[in-house]
Amino acid sequence: MHTVEYDLGATYGGLYDDIVAAIDSLSLAPYKLEAYKKKSAIADEEKHSFEQGREEGLVGIFKTRFLKRLESSVEAFRLSLRRALTFEETYKDYLLDRKVVSSRDFQRAIRFLSRDEEDDIAAGSMADELDAVADAKEYIESLPTVDLNEYELRRLSHDVEADVKTLKSLYQRTEPLAAKDGKLERLKELLAGDLKGKKVLIFSTFKDTTRYLHRRLTQDAKWLKTAGSPHIRRIDSGNHPEERGHIIAQFAPVASGAAEPTPEHIDILISTDVLSEGQNLQDCGILINYDLTWNPIRLVQRNGRIDRIGSTHTEIGIYNLFPEKELEALLHLIERLTDRISTIDELGLLDGSVLGEVVHPRTFNTIRRIRGEDGTVLDEEEARAELAGPEMLLKQLKDLLNRDGSTALTALPNGIHSGMRREKCYGMFF
């Protein structure tokens, strides 16, 4: 296990501290409407406190999401800023039309913002900007009318406008930074240096980051020549299953059991966690985690794609990219937000607000051990995953229910089943 450091402060042109502070200062008012309710309009104090606590937890989760994407890549962070800015600007316009997000709509708000991870919007397209605005308007128009007389409208409008100003400033100030991305340059140095000529699998949590990396690497003719002209492909949830299988066969023909050798071979494969389970890629002996994985089990799953029986590699190389000086500041802020979220959860106020995993305190120690190149941490996490299997499945089920609620279940037609009939075999399997 190897730690590869880069200077996040240099990447963000000295703006890093300002960016983190600005994220922390966001009110995200549209997602905590109960905080703006007039005392005279509160009929049930207990219900009001419950809804307000749940919304505060949701806001904390959104902020940790911004920070995760900030650490992932300039591109992923700026796309998050643009989506949030589009939504809040549209929300501000609708305030005059008596359209606001009520507390009972927070689950739908989660699904709207959770597009961050699987959204296909590419930077710089006017058509995509219009699509984003249309999506935001469609979402808000689907919400029930709320009586604005029950809310402190002036304070609500002020906080929304403040968020718009902050988001717009961050988006404008980070515009030139993608051209001098220190993290990307560190990756290029690694691929053209110690890992030149080797088959490499690169993982990122976010689709936006994988597409950004693929674009920047394949369009840099000078670097490609220095790196030995590697053939680079990417995989994410946007690939058709057949295309995905074809790419895997080109990247790991032996392990994937390709029927015939493919004329083209892939040297560098960039992927999201769609490849973190169920694939044999042990033709490859080098794995790079481009961004921090806030769920340690994912590290085990990623490593398991190349560290498998039948590998011809005597050693598996795992490289983790970590920001040099700013990691602790980033972790401390996320720890503080997570502590706040956990407190709200312990009070029973966060039963429905699910947006990605809430970072467990143990995760921070795991990240620090990985940075210290402690290879035993993967074995420990693998053992924990095996012991906690049923618990993890239960959590996934609870997350599904919280995310989609009873709507998805009641929409299922009666009698969904599958079966197999064999002669001289009796019984049924469900």
Side-chain angles (χ1 to χ4, degrees):
M1 185 178 293
H2 308 276
T3 291
V4 181
E5 293 187 327
Y6 62 94
D7 191 340
L8 189 61
T11 299
Y12 288 96
L15 292 176
Y16 177 77
D17 290 338
D18 292 343
I19 291 172
V20 172
I23 293 171
D24 196 29
S25 72
L26 289 171
S27 70
L28 296 179
Y31 302 100
K32 57 174 190 179
L33 189 61
E34 286 294 316
Y36 299 90
K37 204 161 193 177
K38 294 177 180 178
K39 290 184 178 180
S40 59
I42 300 174
D44 187 333
E45 185 66 41
E46 185 177 347
K47 182 179 179 181
H48 167 72
S49 297
F50 177 85
E51 296 292 354
Q52 187 172 359
R54 189 161 57 176
E55 291 174 348
E56 287 289 348
L58 177 63
V59 168
I61 293 172
F62 283 161
K63 288 182 180 181
T64 62
R65 193 179 185 84
F66 273 120
L67 294 169
K68 290 180 188 181
R69 289 172 66 86
L70 168 65
E71 186 275 328
S72 178
S73 68
V74 179
E75 177 84 345
F77 178 61
R78 296 194 75 240
L79 285 172
S80 280
L81 290 177
R82 192 178 72 186
R83 291 163 189 153
L85 177 59
T86 298
F87 182 77
E88 291 228 27
E89 283 185 322
T90 307
Y91 184 94
K92 184 178 69 173
D93 292 340
Y94 273 82
L95 276 175
L96 296 176
D97 285 339
R98 308 179 72 79
K99 285 284 186 180
V100 294
V101 180
S102 67
S103 59
R104 62 178 173 270
D105 293 310
F106 78 97
Q107 285 187 342
R108 299 176 72 181
I110 291 173
R111 289 201 292 276
F112 182 85
L113 283 195
S114 66
R115 296 173 56 209
D116 267 354
E117 207 147 334
E118 293 297 332
D119 195 286
D120 290 337
I121 296 177
S125 167
M126 180 59 71
D128 290 332
E129 287 286 0
L130 294 175
D131 286 343
V133 173
D135 289 345
K137 287 184 176 180
E138 181 181 356
Y139 167 71
I140 295 175
E141 285 177 350
S142 70
L143 301 177
T145 300
V146 173
D147 185 1
L148 293 184
N149 292 323
E150 296 183 357
Y151 298 90
E152 298 176 24
L153 186 57
R154 180 173 296 181
R155 186 163 65 91
L156 175 60
S157 299
H158 174 272
D159 286 354
V160 172
E161 289 174 0
D163 277 0
V164 167
K165 184 178 179 180
T166 298
L167 291 166
K168 191 174 292 185
S169 173
L170 284 176
Y171 190 72
Q172 292 171 346
R173 293 173 72 187
T174 54
E175 183 175 3
L177 301 183
K180 51 177 181 178
D181 188 342
K183 186 177 184 180
L184 176 63
E185 291 306 313
R186 189 69 185 89
L187 176 67
K188 287 181 176 180
E189 290 175 10
L190 187 63
L191 294 174
D194 294 344
L195 303 184
K196 183 176 180 178
K198 297 182 179 180
K199 191 178 289 288
V200 180
L201 175 60
I202 302 174
F203 271 112
S204 171
T205 305
F206 302 104
K207 178 193 288 187
D208 292 329
T209 296
T210 61
R211 296 188 172 193
Y212 166 71
L213 291 179
H214 182 264
R215 184 172 69 249
R216 292 294 297 270
L217 292 178
T218 56
Q219 292 178 357
D220 189 339
K222 183 178 179 180
W223 174 81
L224 284 171
K225 185 176 181 180
T226 303
S229 302
H231 183 202
I232 305 172
R233 291 294 299 272
R234 64 163 177 80
I235 286 181
D236 55 46
S237 61
N239 294 94
H240 188 277
E242 290 185 6
E243 180 190 16
R244 193 180 302 173
H246 182 64
I247 293 173
I248 291 172
Q250 289 182 316
F251 181 68
V254 177
S256 63
E260 298 179 2
T262 55
E264 292 184 343
H265 67 278
I266 296 173
D267 303 295
I268 299 173
L269 180 60
I270 307 169
S271 177
T272 60
D273 285 296
V274 295
L275 283 188
S276 66
E277 288 188 85
Q279 299 293 342
N280 297 314
L281 304 173
Q282 58 265 40
D283 293 31
C284 172
I286 303 293
L287 185 150
I288 297 177
N289 289 307
Y290 188 75
D291 47 33
L292 300 182
T293 55
W294 301 95
N295 182 349
I297 302 303
R298 285 189 182 179
L299 282 174
V300 176
Q301 293 171 338
R302 291 176 177 183
N303 182 46
R305 303 289 57 77
I306 64 173
D307 189 5
R308 304 179 73 82
I309 295 173
S311 173
T312 59
H313 303 280
T314 56
E315 290 186 357
I316 300 297
I318 302 176
Y319 294 78
N320 303 296
L321 273 74
F322 282 94
E324 289 176 359
K325 303 173 183 177
E326 299 84 0
L327 177 63
E328 285 305 313
L330 182 71
L331 290 181
H332 284 318
L333 179 54
I334 293 182
E335 279 179 301
R336 184 162 58 79
L337 288 169
T338 301
D339 285 344
R340 189 186 308 167
I341 296 166
S342 298
T343 300
I344 293 170
D345 189 25
E346 288 171 3
L347 294 173
L349 304 177
L350 206 58
D351 62 330
S353 54
V354 177
L355 178 63
E357 72 279 1
V358 176
V359 183
H360 190 280
R362 182 180 54 80
T363 301
F364 301 110
N365 183 51
T366 301
I367 291 173
R368 292 183 177 101
R369 288 177 62 191
I370 290 169
R371 185 180 186 178
E373 301 186 359
D374 181 353
T376 63
V377 69
L378 289 182
D379 295 331
E380 292 177 13
E381 291 296 333
E382 185 173 16
R384 194 185 71 82
E386 292 175 357
L387 290 172
E391 181 183 343
M392 291 179 63
L393 291 173
L394 179 60
K395 182 183 182 302
Q396 290 177 16
L397 176 60
K398 290 174 68 177
D399 288 351
L400 172 66
L401 294 176
N402 286 332
R403 186 170 61 250
D404 296 326
S406 60
T407 305
L409 294 179
T410 55
L412 291 173
N414 293 328
I416 284 185
H417 65 278
S418 64
M420 180 182 296
R421 183 188 295 262
R422 286 184 176 178
E423 292 185 7
K424 298 183 180 180
C425 288
Y426 303 95
M428 300 186 72
F429 174 79
F430 289 91

